[in-house]
Amino acid sequence: MTEVKQSKPGSTFSSADAVSDFLGRVQRIEPVLHGFRQIEPERLFAEAAILDAEPEEAHGPLHGQLIAVKEVFDVKGYTCGWGTPIHDGRQPLEDAATVKALRKAGAIIAGITVSSEYAMSSVGPTVNPFDSNRTPGASSQGSAAVVGAGLVDMALGSQTIGSVIRPASYCGCIGFKPSWGSIDAQGTMPLSADLDHVGFMASTLDQAETLLKVLAPSLPEAGTSMPSQILNLETWYKDEVHPEMKKVVAQSLETLRAAGVEVRSIRLPDWIAGAEEGVLDTILAHDMAYNHGADFNAHSDKMSDRIRDYITRGQNITEQAYKAALSLRKKMIDELQILFAGRPVLSPAAIGIAPLLAEGTGSRAPQRLWTLTGFPAISVPIGRFGGMPLGVQIVGAPLHDCDIVATARMLIG
């Protein structure tokens, strides 16, 4: 199902040609993939014509590039329904902050990609681009699948537990969850203000780096030297990492050693390993009840059991318990910053290849802690098992997002 990506801007680049090529790929691939909710060809050609009429000196860093957007982001004139029938037909009156930034940089919004219900519940209609019997991953499934399938080179996603890193690993593309708060989330469906991250998928590291600069311009630039030491974090969660994933992690560490990087194995403090899942769950359930309790009160019959369960539990969490969870989150952030001391951390992006559709969207355990603490993380495709992609995850210190791009470049160039 995967294809060659769209042509890149150059002296003969035409945005209209890029749109035509995109629509051709959509016609061939989308009937099986089901990655998009909405595509508007006439609108795409109209936007392309405006860009093609601009003088070259006015071109932005994403000039004429087609970028897909997950349906939890507001896009003016499109239907952005948050993956739930409760908001089916919802059309925002203005663009989200991220969409405005993409347009300012010259991007064309290719269309709206599938999200699971409230970016939280079961897999939607999208399938994995490498095996239509397997899941594309969590709520950013549509964005990861359309990049992995070659429909577009880049797509916006979001992560509140593992919804960027895991789908990227399953779909064979780069997934980036920047430092919490580094990208303006205005106009994005809220789940939890302390956990929600704007993220994105890309086909290459150069594209990921460009998106990071466009969407998070205040982040510090990367240093010029490669890291002298990287941490190999031992798994602490109960979900078993499959042998094929352990193999690609080991191969990645050997690649770094060969490049002169010292590899040091570390373990999480026991109290963090034992508490992180419960802390995240408490914060998320409380905040989902706050943000979507009105939907629950009016339309609970249109919600899945999982969403109803989260909101019901959230309504019963006391302010004392909620504040205690936030306090533990802050303590985890402080202790992990001391433990990591600015060094990148390498770990599995997922526990293995994408599960079969009937088995769900896979384990959230490898991604969960970095969402809870807001540390930046990137998933890079490293190998295959049975034709299915596998990715490793590089985690960095908060606001050192560019450093993990530099580390990823040592692995995949």
Side-chain angles (χ1 to χ4, degrees), residues 3-54:
E3 283 209 358
V4 177
K5 311 298 192 296
Q6 67 196 58
S7 59
K8 304 299 187 294
S11 59
T12 60
F13 176 79
S14 161
S15 299
D17 287 345
V19 168
S20 293
D21 291 346
F22 163 68
L23 293 174
R25 292 192 296 274
V26 166
Q27 188 174 18
R28 294 189 299 273
I29 297 173
E30 182 61 10
V32 175
L33 188 71
H34 303 298
F36 280 99
R37 294 281 192 202
Q38 184 181 8
I39 297 171
E40 298 292 338
E42 290 185 6
R43 181 170 176 171
L44 295 180
F45 280 117
E47 293 180 6
I50 293 172
L51 289 170
D52 285 340
E54 289 182 350

Side-chain angles (χ1 to χ4, degrees), residues 159 161 177 195 197 233 236-237 268-269 272-273 275-277 280 329 332-333 336 340 364-375 393 395:
Q159 179 160 311
I161 304 178
K177 182 199 75 67
L195 303 175
H197 291 70
L233 182 62
W236 67 95
Y237 38 83
L268 279 183
I272 295 179
E276 53 93 9
E277 182 176 10
L280 183 146
R329 172 181 176 266
M332 288 179 186
I333 293 169
L336 287 173
F340 294 170
R364 300 161 180 81
Q367 313 97 35
R368 188 175 54 221
L369 177 60
W370 316 121
T371 307
L372 173 62
T373 56
F375 283 44
Q393 180 175 213
V395 179

Side-chain angles (χ1 to χ4, degrees), residues 101-125:
L102 292 175
R103 292 193 191 280
K104 184 178 180 181
I108 298 173
I109 305 305
I112 308 303
T113 59
V114 171
S115 169
S116 59
E117 179 191 16
Y118 290 101
M120 276 292 297
S121 194
S122 59
V123 69

Side-chain angles (χ1 to χ4, degrees), residues 166-178:
R166 188 163 78 258
S169 181
Y170 290 167
C171 294
C173 59
I174 292 165
F176 207 127
K177 182 199 75 67

Side-chain angles (χ1 to χ4, degrees), residues 31-348:
V32 175
L33 188 71
H34 303 298
F36 280 99
R37 294 281 192 202
Q38 184 181 8
I39 297 171
E40 298 292 338
E42 290 185 6
R43 181 170 176 171
L44 295 180
F45 280 117
E47 293 180 6
I50 293 172
L51 289 170
D52 285 340
E54 289 182 350
E56 189 171 349
E57 59 269 21
H59 291 183
L62 294 172
H63 177 79
Q65 296 295 286
L66 287 141
I67 300 180
V69 176
K70 183 179 178 179
E71 63 178 307
V72 300
F73 297 92
D74 287 353
V75 183
K76 183 179 179 180
Y78 280 90
T79 299
C80 307
W82 299 354
T84 168
I86 296 172
H87 293 284
D88 189 30
R90 175 183 174 274
Q91 289 196 344
L93 298 178
E94 64 176 300
D95 290 334
T98 46
V99 176
K100 290 178 181 178
L102 292 175
R103 292 193 191 280
K104 184 178 180 181
I108 298 173
I109 305 305
I112 308 303
T113 59
V114 171
S115 169
S116 59
E117 179 191 16
Y118 290 101
M120 276 292 297
S121 194
S122 59
V123 69
T126 311
V127 300
N128 192 288
F130 291 84
D131 183 346
S132 60
N133 295 309
R134 294 184 180 273
T135 180
S139 70
S140 298
Q141 56 190 277
S143 289
V146 299
V147 174
L151 291 178
V152 293
D153 283 341
M154 293 166 277
L156 277 186
S158 64
Q159 179 160 311
T160 306
I161 304 178
S163 297
V164 168
I165 298 299
R166 188 163 78 258
S169 181
Y170 290 167
C171 294
C173 59
I174 292 165
F176 207 127
K177 182 199 75 67
S179 295
W180 175 79
S182 62
I183 300 179
D184 190 347
Q186 180 273 326
T188 308
M189 184 204 74
L191 281 174
S192 168
D194 290 298
L195 303 175
D196 292 343
H197 291 70
V198 175
F200 50 84
M201 283 75 173
S203 296
T204 70
L205 276 174
D206 286 344
Q207 292 162 352
E209 198 164 20
T210 299
L211 278 175
L212 187 64
K213 290 176 181 178
V214 167
L215 297 175
S218 64
L219 282 172
E221 293 288 338
T224 56
S225 60
M226 66 181 185
S228 59
Q229 188 178 86
I230 191 164
L231 302 178
N232 174 28
L233 182 62
E234 297 178 11
T235 56
W236 67 95
Y237 38 83
K238 62 184 179 181
D239 296 347
E240 179 67 24
V241 177
H242 298 178
E244 62 270 16
M245 179 60 79
K246 292 179 181 178
K247 183 178 179 180
V248 297
V249 169
Q251 290 171 343
S252 299
L253 292 171
E254 283 304 312
T255 298
L256 294 171
R257 286 193 184 97
V261 179
E262 179 187 358
V263 176
R264 179 184 173 191
S265 293
I266 62 166
R267 292 183 60 190
L268 279 183
D270 289 343
W271 77 269
I272 295 179
E276 53 93 9
E277 182 176 10
V279 169
L280 183 146
D281 189 73
T282 296
I283 295 171
L284 179 55
H286 175 279
D287 290 354
M288 284 183 66
Y290 175 81
N291 286 308
H292 301 293
D295 284 356
F296 175 83
N297 293 336
H299 303 289
S300 64
D301 58 314
K302 296 181 180 180
M303 291 179 168
S304 68
D305 290 343
R306 185 165 188 251
I307 298 297
R308 283 197 296 266
D309 177 63
Y310 261 106
I311 293 176
T312 300
R313 287 189 292 111
Q315 291 173 334
N316 291 305
I317 292 171
T318 65
E319 282 303 301
Q320 182 180 9
Y322 179 60
K323 290 178 180 178
L326 291 174
S327 178
L328 276 175
R329 172 181 176 266
K330 177 62 167 59
K331 186 179 177 182
M332 288 179 186
I333 293 169
D334 293 342
E335 187 154 339
L336 287 173
Q337 290 204 54
I338 294 171
L339 178 65
F340 294 170
R343 296 166 294 185
V345 177
L346 192 138
S347 65

